[in-house]
Amino acid sequence: KETTLVNHLCEGPLMNGETEVYKENCKVLSLSPEIFEIDSLIFVNSGIHDVELRHKNSSKKITVSFPGFDALLFWQHVGAGYICIEPWKGLPDYVDCDGEISNKVAVLTVEPGETDVSEHTIRFEG
């Protein structure tokens, strides 16, 4: 479905607290190595729970489904021949984090005796 992608900006691997509208009315996102020179694309509460990574010159594709996850990160090491697609239930740290996990934003807390089960699937085709 079409959605407006809001990226949470990074300084290296840490979020800096700023956001930008990355793409409006987006249904297809073209990825290139230049996108990842800073670090990651981080989309939070976008309503996206399935993504397909398609090879531009063949029928090969990977589908990642992740119901119940609030964040989606795309990242790639500069020069690497792969792209990482990561559903998250939390967020990376901020540049001004104090290192105390109890102060971390978007941490999933499970009380003693309770459980939280989350699953994502990866399907390869072609």
Side-chain angles (χ1 to χ4, degrees), residues 10 13 22 31 35 37 42 50 67 80 102:
C10 293
Y22 190 75
L31 300 176
I35 292 171
E37 288 178 354
I42 303 172
D50 299 280
S102 61

Side-chain angles (χ1 to χ4, degrees), residues 1-123:
K1 69 177 184 177
E2 285 188 2
T3 190
T4 296
L5 296 173
V6 177
N7 184 32
H8 291 250
L9 301 176
C10 293
E11 292 178 23
L14 303 175
M15 296 190 315
N16 66 14
E18 298 177 23
T19 61
E20 69 176 357
V21 173
Y22 190 75
K23 192 168 184 183
E24 292 184 12
N25 304 316
C26 180
K27 193 169 183 174
V28 175
L29 179 62
S30 296
L31 300 176
S32 65
E34 297 78 28
I35 292 171
F36 303 106
E37 288 178 354
I38 293 176
D39 193 64
S40 304
L41 293 175
I42 303 172
F43 304 123
V44 181
N45 296 322
S46 64
I48 299 170
H49 297 289
D50 299 280
V51 295
E52 290 181 358
L53 180 61
R54 294 176 179 245
H55 189 277
K56 65 181 176 181
N57 298 322
S58 76
S59 62
K60 293 180 181 181
K61 70 178 180 177
I62 298 169
T63 304
V64 181
S65 299
F66 46 98
F69 288 79
D70 297 327
L72 175 63
L73 284 75
F74 291 99
W75 63 272
Q76 178 183 49
H77 286 293
V78 175
Y82 59 85
I83 293 174
C84 293
I85 302 169
E86 294 187 7
W88 282 33
K89 280 199 156 186
L91 293 173
D93 277 330
Y94 285 93
V95 291
D96 60 353
C97 72
D98 62 9
E100 177 61 43
I101 196 165
S102 61
N103 295 333
K104 188 170 170 63
V105 175
V107 169
L108 174 66
T109 303
V110 179
E111 297 299 324
E114 293 184 0
T115 60
D116 180 79
V117 177
S118 301
E119 295 180 1
H120 72 278
T121 59
I122 303 172
R123 187 174 65 239

